Structure formats: C-alpha cells, structure tokens
Amino acid sequence: MELSSAVPCFLPFLVTLLLSPASAAPNRLVVPWDTTKFGPDGPWQAVRITLGGDDNRMALGSQNVSEVSVYPGGTYSSRVFTKAACDNYPNSLCGIGGTWDPDTDQLSRQRIQYRDDWIIEAAGLNASDTRHLALGLTIQGQTVWNATLATCDTGHITYPNGEIGGVPLGSLSLGAPEMNQTFTLNDEVEDNINAPLFAAQLFQDGYIPSYSYGLHIGSASFDYPGSLAFGGYNKGRVIEPVTSFRNESALKLLDIGMGVEYGASPFKFERREELLSTGVSDARAEPLAPYLSLPSKTCDNIASLLPVTYDPVLKYYLWDTDDQLYTKIVTSPAYLSFAFPSSRGDPDNVIIKVPFALLNLTLDHPISESPKQYFPCVPYEHGIILGRAFLQAAFLGRNWRSGTSWLAQAPGPGIAREGLGEQYANIPDDDTNIVGFEGDDLFNQSWAGHWSIVASQATNDETKPGGTNGAKPNDSDGTEPGSIEASDSISGGLSTAAKAGMGVGVAIGAIVLFGVLTWLWRRRSASGKTPDSQPVTYDYKYYHHSQQNESLRNGGAPVHELPEHISAEPIEIPDTSTPRVGL
Ligand SMILES: *[C@@H]1O[C@H](CO)[C@@H](O)[C@H](O)[C@H]1NC(C)=O
Ligand SMILES: *[C@@H]1O[C@H](CO)[C@@H](O)[C@H](O)[C@H]1NC(C)=O
Ligand SMILES: *[C@@H]1O[C@H](CO)[C@@H](O)[C@H](O)[C@H]1NC(C)=O
Ligand SMILES: *[C@@H]1O[C@H](CO)[C@@H](O)[C@H](O)[C@H]1NC(C)=O
Ligand SMILES: *[C@@H]1O[C@H](CO)[C@@H](O)[C@H](O)[C@H]1NC(C)=O
Ligand SMILES: *[C@@H]1O[C@H](CO)[C@@H](O)[C@H](O)[C@H]1NC(C)=O
Ligand SMILES: *[C@@H]1O[C@H](CO)[C@@H](O)[C@H](O)[C@H]1NC(C)=O
Ligand SMILES: *[C@@H]1O[C@H](CO)[C@@H](O)[C@H](O)[C@H]1NC(C)=O
C-alpha cells in the first residue's frame, strides 16, 4: 500500500526532471477527450477540437471558431456537419457533438471548390456533397492553419433496420499516406492548392517527432477515457505483444474465439475457437464504424453460444436480459477473442480479448423506441470491419511515413481508469515498432474490480459488495439476489476488487518505474538505437483455412468495395491528372 501510493507521487517530479532538458525537442500532442457519452448505439466517447480561423496574425479567440466533439478516425479531411444538416432531424441526436458553420467571411476567401460524398458503409453513413476547405484546426492550443477540412450540409445514417437518423458527430482525421491533400484547379500543377493534414503539419514544423498517431478509444460505460496522441502514444494502453501491418484494410484476422480469463466459465465450455466462418480474412480496424461488422455466418456462430436473439425487425442481436446467463457473462471475465498474426517472428499469435462487459451496448432512439441492450455483431458481407465495439479493447496506431500500423491488446480500466497508467511516449520518425508493457497477468489485473469471478464450485458465500468504489461492483446483483445463484454463484465484485486493487497498485507502481528506467536507458542509448526495420512477416500457426480463404476471395462478395467505401482514399486523393476542382 505504501509503495503503491508513494511511487505515483514522486513520479511526476521524476518525469519532469528527466524531460526538462529536452523540452524544446519535438513532443507528442495529446488530444483531449469529451466526457459526454454518445449514442444511439454506444455509449461512445469522442475528442474535442476547435475549427475555424484563417489568420495567423490574429488571436484565434477573436476569429469565429467552433469547438466540437468528433470521433477520431478516417483519413485526409476532418469532417464536421453544419447546423443545416440537422434541420430534418429535430429533437434527435443529430449534431450532438456540436455543429460548425464556417464564418462566411472566412469561407469567401476559400479557393477550394471540391465536393465529394462521404460514405462509410459499415456505419450506414452517407453525407453527400460535402464541401472541402482549408481552415484552422486547433487542438490543445496548437493550430494548423489551412488544415484540410470538410463541412457537410446534409447527411444521414441508415441503421441496419432501415431507421434513418441525422449524424451525431463528425470526424477528426488521423492522417493520410500523404502530408498534404492536394486540390487541383486546372491542369497546371503550380496552381494546385495544398491543404496540410493536421499531424503532418505539426511534424513538418518540428512540433511533434513523427507523422503518426496512437489511439485507444477507452470505454464510455466504464468511464474509462480514451487516449489519442499525434507523434506518440500512451504506453499505458498497450499490452505486448504488438502486431504490425502495412495495409490498413488488410489486417489479417486469423480467427475469432471465446474464453474466460479466470474463474469458472459461464459457458458450457472453457474455450471455443474457429468461430470466424470465412477462415483467415482481411479485416479493417475502423474507429468511425461502430460495430463488429462480420459475415452473418460468423455472427450466428458467436450468437449461438450466447443468450442473444437476432431481432428480425431491429436487425440487431439483442441480449436476453432476463436470462441469468446474460448478467453472468457480461459481468464475468468472459471475452470474445480475435487472433492476428505476430509480426516479430514470434510463433504465437497476437490475441486481442474483448470482454463481454464491453459488448453490453445500448440501442436507443431512433433505432429503438426504448433503450435495449444489444450485442454489437452486425451481419455485413462486404469485408470485415472491426469498429468501436472492438477498439474499446484494442490499441491502434500508425506511423504514416514508415507505413506501419500497430494493433495490440489494450488494458481494462485499471483502478484509476487510466489503464496501466498514463505514460505518453514519443514515436520517432520512421519508427516501425512501438513497445507496450509485458506481463502475462496485466490484462487480468487491469480488469480487477470491474468484473466478477464465476465461482467454480459452490464455494462459501463471499461478502456482499458494500461500496461504490469500483466501476460496477454492484452489477452482478442487478437481478434478484439469490434467484440466479442456486448452483454456481457470482461473487460480490468489490471484496475481490478491493483485495486485487492493492496488488495492482503495487504492480503498476513497479511497472511505471520500470517504464521510466527503460525510457531513460533508451534515451541514453538513443544514438546507438537501431530501429527494427524487419519486414512484416506473418506466421499462421494453428490456422490453415486456405481453402476457405480462397472461396472468400472468389466467392463473389464485393470485397473490393470495402476500401472504397471505408477509406475515402480513392475518392479523396484528387489526382492531378483528373481535375476535380473547378473555379
Ligand atoms: C463572425 O465574426 C463577425 C465579426 O468578427 C461577426 O460579425 C459575425 O456575426 C460572426 N459570425 C458568426 C457566425 O459567429
Ligand atoms: C447517399 O445519399 C444521396 C442523397 O441522399 C443519394 O443520392 C446517394 O445515392 C446515396 N449514396 C449511397 C451510396 O447510398
Ligand atoms: C492559407 O492559404 C491561403 C491561400 O492559399 C494563403 O494566402 C494563406 O497565407 C494561408 N494561411 C496560412 C496561415 O498559411
Ligand atoms: C505541402 O504543401 C506545401 C504548400 O504547398 C508545400 O510547401 C509542401 O512541400 C508540401 N509537402 C509535401 C510533403 O508535399
Ligand atoms: C489493401 O488491402 C485491400 C483489401 O485486401 C486491397 O483491396 C488493397 O488493394 C490493398 N491496398 C494496397 C495498397 O495494397
Ligand atoms: C449493461 O449495460 C447497461 C447500460 O450501460 C447497464 O445499465 C447494465 O447494468 C449492464 N448490464 C450488466 C449486467 O452489467
Ligand atoms: C486474475 O485476477 C484476479 C483478481 O481480479 C485474481 O484473483 C486471479 O487469480 C487472476 N488470475 C490469474 C490467472 O492471474
Ligand atoms: C446495488 O445498488 C443499488 C442502487 O445503487 C442499491 O439500491 C442496492 O442496495 C445495491 N445492492 C447491494 C447488494 O449493495
């Protein structure tokens, strides 16, 4: 107990001391998160950004600007909706993150005339005729003037059941393969307008050390804030091993399974594998998409093992909240696991576990008249999209200049709701590796106090939860006490949590200290550091689905549509050979 409180206290001092000599050197930019929770299929979290302004000689505050909450995700332009986009959706979640009407004066000075449609199929989003501009984008007091932005005057989301709603939030672009978005005016290359990507400009200006980002969206229902940095990442959100890949739309998903981290299984089995009906497939981790968009056969495979029912009208899998198994599953250490190939020659696959506690999400108006708990597997046949439901439990990052993406297990909330502790680190330019914390038990520990053990046998009664300290220590008692605890009971979360909390405190303290020392060491030996620039190699241990894989490719599913619809790259790289901007 002594150690756990003492270490974090003197740590900031230590870190400041170590950092101060290098304060002029480029440093990552940490993006702030809104505390509001967004629906109607969440709850989800979003970041805060400021839009507008075009005069770097004037204080930003004296220009017309607007602060909005947006989902981090997507490439090229950051996109925000105007007030008019919500005219058709009064009294709804439309524009709940804030809308932005660019100042008419600032607009009139815009030379870009390019418009396009913004479509994210897996999110049902369609914003047609969005206008591109180059205006100020400010995050944490850091402004990029003439940043590439887009405003949408119309837009809607068509939910799986056909219900249509306005768009709640826009997006903050995470970067692009290029530093600028180039708009052509005519055939003369000299006349092109270059609008920089936010992170690219900060990198160019020597403000951040690399053109990169590190993202973990956290969990709104566990009050676990997200983490986003440009030019760096929060190491406290990364548990080793990290897998890396180059093509963001070709993340190799090897399999989907189910298991339990500790204690007895709430299921009739300990582990299940081979739930991914297609075999090894390309997937995309997409923070702008909400669900686990998977082939319907895969959703069926998973759903058949859970107390969920596919509602033919709502077209979502709803949790059967009256089933005792439901409470047991979503409060226990049971998880859905996703297997990816290792990228460092390690024979073991990288397994990302998404606790079912994170998959107890809520549907609300306009999808459903009243709130309903749903399991976010949504049948989708145009490729595999692992959206926010998945990313609650995964760290995602990319270094645009080295063309490397990273995916890793993110920890649970931890005792302080900071994962393994807030520890931002820089991502060096051209880096192809990032380092997370290593430890077989870290994932389990980070969830301590937030889920309850399923007792293996009829053990002696545990003390009932008495406080409001933990995240949801009381949820396991949501149903009538006693009614579900006949044979194998769910223990009171808090007593376990309190005990575990101390252990984790000490462990995290030690980890943090170790992190600092490692960092110190790395700094000392920075000159001699040889970044591992090995090519990404995949090891398909355990999985041999080549036959099925072949049939996926040739099965007629329009796999090729995926990148077009999801990443706006093909649409948005206005190629100089095809003038798209008239003036
Ligand atoms: C923008 O600023 C000008 C003056 O600075 C003001 O007259 C105008 O009302 C503002 N527009 C908006 C939309 O706030
Ligand atoms: C998007 O919406 C526009 C207008 O509402 C419509 O014309 C267009 O076909 C839609 N696009 C897609 C891909 O649904
Ligand atoms: C923004 O772009 C305009 C037109 O390209 C240019 O005149 C202006 O100087 C730029 N502003 C800044 C702050 O770079
Ligand atoms: C981006 O555009 C600016 C302004 O036109 C230009 O100076 C810069 O070289 C471009 N950067 C890249 C990487 O193309
Ligand atoms: C990335 O992967 C997607 C999906 O497999 C594929 O369609 C696309 O061509 C790939 N892009 C590149 C640049 O290899
Ligand atoms: C499922 O989520 C809802 C909404 O966040 C919450 O009220 C409920 O307690 C959760 N169910 C369980 C069993 O934790
Ligand atoms: C996981 O954590 C719990 C405390 O939350 C602890 O009781 C259990 O022993 C741990 N299991 C493993 C396998 O480390
Ligand atoms: C659980 O929480 C509810 C509401 O906060 C409270 O009324 C109830 O007494 C709690 N149950 C236990 C066992 O602490």
Side-chain angles (χ1 to χ4, degrees):
M1 208 47 183
E2 294 275 59
L3 181 62
S4 69
S5 52
V7 169
C9 277
F10 96 102
L11 198 79
F13 168 70
L14 183 63
V15 169
T16 316
L17 199 71
L18 292 171
L19 282 177
S20 45
S23 57
N27 236 336
R28 67 267 162 188
L29 179 93
V30 175
V31 182
W33 289 72
D34 192 351
T35 51
T36 313
K37 302 172 182 183
F38 301 99
D41 46 16
W44 309 119
Q45 305 184 106
V47 293
R48 292 297 274 174
I49 61 172
T50 303
L51 297 160
D54 66 351
D55 193 341
N56 57 0
R57 295 157 309 174
M58 261 162 71
L60 189 73
S62 60
Q63 307 180 45
N64 285 350
V65 295
S66 174
E67 204 186 333
V68 296
S69 295
V70 290
Y71 289 132
T75 52
Y76 291 96
S77 304
S78 297
R79 301 183 182 246
V80 180
F81 291 81
T82 62
K83 210 178 278 152
C86 290
D87 283 352
N88 292 334
Y89 310 98
N91 310 318
S92 75
L93 295 178
C94 188
I96 193 170
T99 55
W100 175 46
D101 284 277
D103 179 46
T104 44
D105 197 34
Q106 292 168 9
L107 259 189
S108 68
R109 286 195 287 270
Q110 287 290 312
R111 288 165 66 227
I112 300 169
Q113 298 292 308
Y114 180 61
R115 290 175 179 261
D116 69 358
D117 293 344
W118 186 35
I119 288 162
I120 304 176
E121 204 182 68
L125 185 139
N126 177 350
S128 47
D129 207 26
T130 69
R131 177 176 174 175
H132 289 256
L133 352 133
L135 280 175
L137 169 56
T138 305
I139 300 177
Q140 284 287 44
Q142 198 63 33
T143 302
V144 168
W145 303 99
N146 289 352
T148 182
L149 305 172
T151 59
C152 315
D153 289 326
T154 61
H156 58 267
I157 292 181
T158 308
Y159 295 99
N161 58 350
E163 291 294 335
I164 292 176
V167 185
L169 287 86
S171 69
L172 168 65
S173 164
L174 296 174
E178 287 151 280
M179 312 267 290
N180 287 322
Q181 183 162 16
T182 302
F183 299 92
T184 56
L185 289 172
N186 48 47
D187 290 338
E188 303 300 323
V189 175
E190 311 85 73
D191 292 341
N192 287 352
I193 303 168
N194 282 324
L197 274 292
F198 182 80
Q201 188 65 49
L202 293 189
F203 168 68
Q204 188 109 355
D205 293 346
Y207 185 81
I208 59 175
S210 57
Y211 181 21
S212 63
Y213 73 87
L215 169 71
H216 172 227
I217 65 170
S219 161
S221 41
F222 281 87
D223 292 322
Y224 179 20
S227 160
L228 172 63
F230 287 116
Y233 72 108
N234 184 349
K235 190 180 172 187
R237 302 296 179 101
V238 185
I239 297 177
E240 292 279 352
V242 179
T243 187
S244 56
F245 52 102
R246 299 196 142 264
N247 181 340
E248 296 169 279
S249 296
L251 165 62
K252 296 281 174 226
L253 176 59
L254 304 178
D255 196 16
I256 296 178
M258 240 184 232
V260 188
E261 189 63 14
Y262 73 96
S265 171
F267 309 113
K268 293 196 180 74
F269 51 86
E270 285 295 320
R271 254 211 82 65
R272 263 304 154 83
E273 262 149 37
E274 303 195 4
L275 297 176
L276 179 61
S277 60
T278 54
V280 178
S281 302
D282 283 351
R284 185 180 169 92
E286 176 53 70
L288 294 183
Y291 316 118
L292 306 170
S293 297
L294 298 169
S296 59
K297 182 78 169 41
T298 304
C299 285
D300 283 346
N301 287 349
I302 301 168
S304 69
L305 304 171
L306 298 172
V308 297
T309 318
Y310 186 70
D311 186 310
V313 178
L314 276 179
K315 300 239 174 14
Y316 286 91
Y317 287 93
L318 301 183
W319 285 105
D320 183 354
T321 51
D322 294 331
D323 192 321
Q324 346 180 313
L325 198 53
Y326 155 70
T327 308
K328 209 182 260 187
I329 290 170
V330 306
T331 59
S332 77
Y335 57 77
L336 195 62
S337 63
F338 296 77
F340 303 95
S342 150
S343 53
R344 288 184 195 162
D346 189 323
D348 290 330
N349 294 319
V350 173
I351 309 290
I352 293 183
K353 300 167 182 170
V354 184
F356 282 105
L358 295 173
L359 301 176
N360 167 37
L361 295 169
T362 309
L363 292 179
D364 214 332
H365 192 75
I367 304 171
S368 152
E369 284 307 313
S370 57
K372 289 203 165 61
Q373 297 317 119
Y374 82 108
F375 173 68
C377 203
V378 169
Y380 184 73
E381 312 297 338
H382 301 171
I384 292 173
I385 312 290
L386 304 175
R388 291 188 291 271
F390 168 80
L391 289 167
Q392 293 177 102
F395 169 87
L396 179 69
R398 185 169 178 88
N399 186 342
W400 294 102
R401 277 169 43 103
S402 71
T404 313
S405 284
W406 301 289
L407 186 77
Q409 176 77 59
I415 35 175
R417 284 158 214 279
E418 287 183 349
L420 304 176
E422 189 172 295
Q423 288 189 67
Y424 283 95
N426 289 336
I427 297 175
D429 185 26
D430 291 327
D431 216 5
T432 55
N433 274 323
I434 57 158
V435 181
F437 283 116
E438 240 169 302
D440 288 345
D441 204 28
L442 289 180
F443 176 69
N444 183 39
Q445 286 179 353
S446 65
W447 276 98
H450 300 288
W451 56 25
S452 348
I453 191 168
V454 178
S456 49
Q457 255 108 46
T459 51
N460 18 336
D461 288 345
E462 298 220 17
T463 6
K464 286 284 176 196
T468 50
N469 201 9
K472 304 186 146 194
N474 198 2
D475 275 357
S476 55
D477 289 46
T479 46
E480 269 65 16
S483 65
I484 58 166
E485 302 188 354
S487 55
D488 48 353
S489 67
I490 297 167
S491 81
L494 194 64
S495 53
T496 325
K499 276 181 267 159
M502 287 175 63
V504 173
V506 173
I508 288 177
I511 291 161
V512 165
L513 192 59
F514 177 74
V516 168
L517 294 176
T518 312
W519 178 81
L520 226 193
W521 177 81
R522 289 190 65 199
R523 264 178 65 87
R524 287 236 181 87
S525 59
S527 53
K529 203 174 125 250
T530 48
D532 183 357
S533 52
Q534 274 182 337
V536 179
T537 54
Y538 295 129
D539 184 318
Y540 295 92
K541 194 187 178 190
Y542 307 131
Y543 299 96
H544 305 281
H545 291 290
S546 50
Q547 184 64 43
Q548 283 161 290
N549 198 21
E550 202 54 36
S551 69
L552 170 80
R553 281 207 195 95
N554 306 328
V559 178
H560 63 274
E561 283 186 5
L562 168 64
E564 281 170 30
H565 289 279
I566 283 298
S567 85
E569 289 163 40
I571 306 167
E572 285 191 76
I573 305 170
D575 178 356
T576 46
S577 62
T578 45
R580 288 165 187 273
V581 184
L583 206 156

